[in-house]
Amino acid sequence: MQTVGKGRYGEVWRACWNGEDVAVKIFLTHYEQSWERETEIYQTVQLRHENILGFIASDIIGSKQVTQMYLITEYHPYGSLYDFLRNHKLEMKVMARLAFSASAGLAHLHSEILGTQGKPPIAHRDIKSKNILVKENLTCCIGDFGLAVKYQPETEEIDIKPDTRVGTRRYMAPEVIDNSLDRSNFTSYKMADMYSFGLVLWEIARRGISAG
């Protein structure tokens, strides 16, 4: 129906499915790996959470010589936290609501859920306000899992490529920038996420309306 965002991976459109608005992320051909990773992460058992962007479907659409990779999720008209903060001054109650809900989403992502239908811990690796969406009830949900990694506690394996310097430079933890992050310890990836999230909290705080 209309384009609502663009990035290095491609663009996002607002579409209609079964009478409801949805977001369709269309990946450029050379970002197939990001599409595959996001699809895999979203299909992780027990990932669903009110503060994780709701996944609907993904598919590869081919016509003649053009191939498009679609990722379909819930649509949130306020857009990203980045855009929301640019356009709004916040009262303390709203600041707390945004911060708490975003932290709840990240905590769920990082957590391991035990059991036969359990969930492995996941590190995002690109936490920033542009990858967090604001819902109509003024709570946040985390999306964009193209760089995320899972940890398998049983085998102690981290499904990651050797290059650890990924993400957005402005939000990168020092150990990611200088390439000193401990690649063998999954906690290191969660700590790097927390550094990035600290900058998101700073962004939220900067838009607060002083009570004085």
Side-chain angles (χ1 to χ4, degrees):
M1 295 168 67
Q2 69 178 111
T3 178
V4 294
K6 291 185 178 181
R8 64 179 182 269
Y9 54 81
E11 54 189 17
V12 179
W13 286 72
R14 179 171 66 92
C16 185
W17 178 68
N18 284 350
E20 293 188 3
D21 284 346
V22 296
V24 181
K25 190 173 180 178
I26 304 175
F27 290 76
L28 297 170
T29 307
H30 52 281
Y31 282 100
E32 182 175 357
Q33 201 168 44
S34 291
W35 173 83
E36 289 178 347
R37 174 42 53 121
E38 281 216 66
T39 298
E40 180 188 342
I41 294 294
Y42 274 121
Q43 291 177 337
T44 301
V45 174
Q46 295 210 43
L47 179 68
R48 281 200 173 271
H49 186 275
E50 62 181 340
N51 303 121
I52 299 290
L53 180 60
F55 171 77
I56 297 173
S58 67
D59 203 358
I60 296 180
I61 308 297
S63 59
K64 297 181 180 179
Q65 295 181 342
V66 179
T67 300
Q68 290 186 319
M69 293 160 288
Y70 288 6
L71 186 80
I72 304 169
T73 65
E74 294 174 343
Y75 172 74
H76 299 295
Y78 278 132
S80 72
L81 178 61
Y82 175 85
D83 292 331
F84 185 79
L85 294 176
R86 286 179 63 195
N87 297 318
H88 297 84
K89 289 266 190 183
L90 309 178
E91 294 182 356
M92 187 65 70
K93 187 175 180 180
V94 177
M95 285 172 52
R97 191 174 178 86
L98 293 171
F100 179 81
S101 56
S103 62
L106 186 58
H108 179 71
L109 195 67
H110 283 176
S111 297
E112 176 186 3
I113 298 176
L114 300 174
T116 52
Q117 290 293 307
K119 169 194 157 297
I122 299 170
H124 190 284
R125 296 206 303 160
D126 196 17
I127 291 290
K128 57 183 177 181
S129 55
K130 287 186 177 181
N131 287 343
I132 299 173
L133 298 173
V134 178
K135 300 161 79 168
E136 286 187 284
N137 63 0
L138 299 185
T139 62
C140 291
C141 60
I142 297 175
D144 289 272
F145 296 105
L147 297 174
V149 293
K150 294 181 184 179
Y151 176 66
Q152 300 298 340
E154 312 83 40
T155 59
E156 298 187 351
E157 289 181 348
I158 303 171
D159 62 339
I160 187 174
K161 291 191 170 183
D163 181 16
T164 58
R165 290 184 61 183
V166 298
T168 303
R169 180 170 287 274
R170 183 177 178 183
Y171 292 83
M172 281 183 181
E175 63 271 24
V176 176
I177 291 176
D178 66 17
N179 219 16
S180 65
L181 183 140
D182 183 358
R183 306 179 188 187
S184 63
N185 186 349
F186 184 72
T187 300
S188 300
Y189 296 101
K190 293 197 292 184
M191 290 171 66
D193 274 358
M194 293 309 298
Y195 178 93
S196 303
F197 187 66
L199 294 177
V200 172
L201 293 178
W202 174 77
E203 287 180 74
I204 294 173
R206 285 185 69 241
R207 299 301 294 166
I209 300 172
S210 173

